[in-house]
Amino acid sequence: MKSFTKTIEDFNCAHCGAVVHGNGYTNHCPECLWSRHVDNNPGDRAAVCGGMMRPANITMDGDRFVITHICEKCGKEKRQRCADNDNMDEIIKITANNKFIFG
């Protein structure tokens, strides 16, 4: 797998319309947690799919939340750590919908 490519770019969320200011590691909207299938390898912007990636599940990795996104167009699954500015209400909503158990 190719290494990470830091790509700094701002975007308007295609799901909720929020204006997102990227920092080079941003891969999803911090408001609604949705993403787009734009990368084959992190940051490369080489995917041709372009489908919307639904935040389907939240798990824990150490002390960080991790979002599992599923592309609604092609079914690709990708995992991404939550960012410090992610909407905690949305994280809680997703975990509640998936009956996540904090341990």
Side-chain angles (χ1 to χ4, degrees), residues 30-33 55-60 65-67 82-83 86-102:
E31 294 300 318
C32 68
L33 308 181
N57 196 16
I58 304 280
T59 56
M60 293 294 293
F65 291 111
V66 176
I67 305 169
C82 287
D86 283 349
N87 183 337
M88 187 54 74
D89 290 338
E90 285 298 312
I91 292 170
I92 292 168
K93 182 173 139 185
I94 293 166
T95 59
N97 289 341
N98 289 297
K99 298 175 179 51
F100 181 84
I101 298 172
F102 291 89

Side-chain angles (χ1 to χ4, degrees), residues 58-93:
I58 304 280
T59 56
M60 293 294 293
D61 182 8
D63 63 348
R64 298 293 302 236
F65 291 111
V66 176
I67 305 169
T68 298
H69 288 104
I70 300 175
C71 181
E72 295 199 315
K73 185 175 179 182
C74 74
K76 173 85 175 176
E77 287 189 26
K78 290 188 176 185
R79 296 184 60 198
Q80 176 67 31
R81 283 186 178 179
C82 287
D84 291 339
N85 66 334
D86 283 349
N87 183 337
M88 187 54 74
D89 290 338
E90 285 298 312
I91 292 170
I92 292 168
K93 182 173 139 185

